[in-house]
Amino acid sequence: MRRMSWLRRVMISLAGLALAGCAGAPSMLRPASSVSAREAWLFWVVLAMAAVVFVLVEGLIVLIVARDRRRGDEAGEPTQVHGHTRLEIIWTVVPLLLVILLFGLTIGTMRAVAAPEPREGDINVRVVGHRWWWQFDYPDYGFTTANELHIPLGSAAHLTLESADVIHSFWVPQLAGKTDLIPGAINSMWLSADAPGTYDGQCSEFCGIQHAGMRIHVIVESREDFEAWVSTQQAPPVEAATALAQQGEDMVLTGVCSSCHSVRGTSAEGKVGPDLTHLMSRSTMAGGMYPLNGAYLRRWLANTQEMKPGNLMVVRLAPDDMAAVLAYLTQLK
Ligand code: CUA
């Protein structure tokens, strides 16, 4: 009975892994960039070599056990072959050659995925990991955003990676390998994609209770769309259009919100939470966990701990304040 449940657990895990590999989950085995394609290639080569070795070695063990097992009336020790020089040389030299081959393939792959020289049109992004969201600064364009990284198709994004608190790890499996964000250090990596689309990623270094709620969305778009997005982000924040929104603006810009959040060019200059200047231009919120719209924003502000338990924003807006704050935030397009 116990063995059955153990076996069942293994089967379910394997099925889960298989599904994760071919269903919607982002996988490095469905590469969408030259870097991840090369990494996936190395994975399959190593797997194939390991499979051949496994089948050969296990096959020989099974063969020898079956062939040389004790039969009926046999007694005493079988013939000993200790000190068989030719065999000893073979099983020393063959693994050594395999390891040297793997070393060469690894060095070749490292060279192939190394950052290229910056070219015309490439972009620079400063990535800061926070518990539990991502800050993306575009220093050449003078704005900052969160959780959604926009990249023009055909260009490389050169990232510098820092942490505001603990160790995080930036991982978008279909585009590149992982790089850690380490407090007090600056790491770097680069990204590019073969085709337009949205590529999902995830913090991959355990960083606390909402580690899983620290998602990345990389939006790869045409140069034209990218430039349009940059113009939107560079524009000053929209000013309150109604009395209610004005009331909300006053609360956000001078109230408690401003100690953690920024709205560019205003008195709200907090650096703890995501920049709100063009909040509604993003399609996700709460570290990329939820779609961003008025309904989710309302649910979030009513009790931030309900949607993302343990997150560092502890707010429960009263119904009267809610209407005003929502009126202001939802016009920050
Ligand atoms: Cu950040 Cu895990």
Side-chain angles (χ1 to χ4, degrees):
M1 201 54 207
R2 265 190 73 187
R3 167 174 272 181
M4 274 302 289
S5 65
W6 172 84
L7 192 66
R8 185 178 295 171
R9 247 178 288 156
V10 170
M11 295 308 284
I12 290 171
S13 303
L14 286 176
L17 279 175
L19 281 174
C22 40
S27 165
M28 64 161 288
L29 300 180
R30 288 188 297 118
S33 77
S34 59
V35 169
S36 51
R38 179 70 190 223
E39 289 169 349
W41 170 82
L42 183 63
F43 169 82
W44 289 117
V45 170
V46 172
L47 185 70
M49 285 169 62
V52 170
V53 170
F54 178 83
V55 168
L56 201 68
V57 171
E58 296 301 320
L60 281 174
I61 289 175
V62 170
L63 185 76
I64 289 165
V65 166
R67 192 191 67 182
D68 298 339
R69 69 189 184 280
R70 187 194 297 272
R71 289 190 173 80
D73 53 351
E74 280 177 342
E77 295 257 309
T79 322
Q80 298 299 298
V81 291
H82 176 73
H84 193 298
T85 312
R86 194 190 299 166
L87 271 181
E88 301 239 346
I89 288 175
I90 289 173
W91 68 51
T92 304
V93 170
V94 171
L96 186 66
L97 289 177
L98 287 178
V99 170
I100 290 172
L101 177 62
L102 285 176
F103 179 72
L105 291 172
T106 303
I107 296 293
T109 301
M110 286 170 71
R111 292 174 62 107
V113 304
E117 285 298 312
R119 288 184 314 165
E120 180 78 36
D122 282 1
I123 61 163
N124 297 297
V125 183
R126 173 173 175 254
V127 179
V128 183
H130 294 260
R131 287 175 296 166
W132 287 277
W133 61 281
W134 300 91
Q135 175 187 338
F136 297 130
D137 296 348
Y138 286 70
D140 304 334
Y141 298 109
F143 65 82
T144 182
T145 184
N147 304 324
E148 296 171 16
L149 180 67
H150 287 244
I151 299 177
L153 182 66
S155 296
H158 299 272
L159 314 182
T160 58
L161 304 136
E162 302 166 44
S163 172
D165 37 52
V166 299
I167 302 178
H168 303 278
S169 186
F170 188 92
W171 191 33
V172 184
Q174 288 178 276
L175 300 184
K178 303 172 180 179
T179 306
D180 280 3
L181 300 88
I182 299 167
I186 300 180
N187 268 343
S188 64
M189 69 179 291
W190 72 289
L191 288 179
S192 77
D194 295 336
T198 299
Y199 301 94
D200 292 339
Q202 165 72 47
C203 177
S204 65
E205 179 72 39
F206 182 69
C207 54
I209 189 166
Q210 278 297 342
H211 160 66
M214 196 169 165
R215 318 250 175 99
I216 306 159
H217 303 284
V218 177
I219 294 126
V220 179
E221 57 202 353
S222 69
R223 170 63 61 174
E224 211 172 38
D225 289 351
F226 175 75
E227 299 289 355
W229 175 77
V230 166
S231 309
T232 309
Q233 301 301 313
Q234 285 176 323
V238 179
E239 290 190 11
T242 64
L244 188 63
Q246 184 60 55
Q247 193 190 328
E249 180 177 321
D250 293 345
M251 291 172 64
V252 170
L253 300 188
T254 58
V256 66
C257 310
S258 65
S259 55
C260 289
H261 294 280
S262 291
V263 177
R264 198 179 340 120
T266 72
S267 55
E269 295 178 326
K271 300 291 178 222
V272 177
D275 185 286
L276 301 177
T277 310
H278 294 290
L279 174 68
M280 299 310 289
S281 71
R282 303 197 281 266
S283 54
T284 60
M285 59 179 284
M289 288 174 76
Y290 293 93
L292 175 51
N293 56 39
Y296 274 115
L297 212 49
R298 176 186 297 277
R299 193 175 140 195
W300 176 256
L301 293 171
N303 181 3
T304 50
Q305 295 300 308
E306 178 254 327
M307 283 166 76
K308 193 171 182 178
N311 92 82
L312 303 185
M313 177 172 175
V314 183
V315 165
R316 302 182 78 145
L317 272 192
D320 289 351
D321 299 339
M322 176 73 85
V325 169
L326 264 185
Y328 176 62
L329 290 183
T330 51
Q331 60 157 57
L332 291 177
K333 297 192 166 49

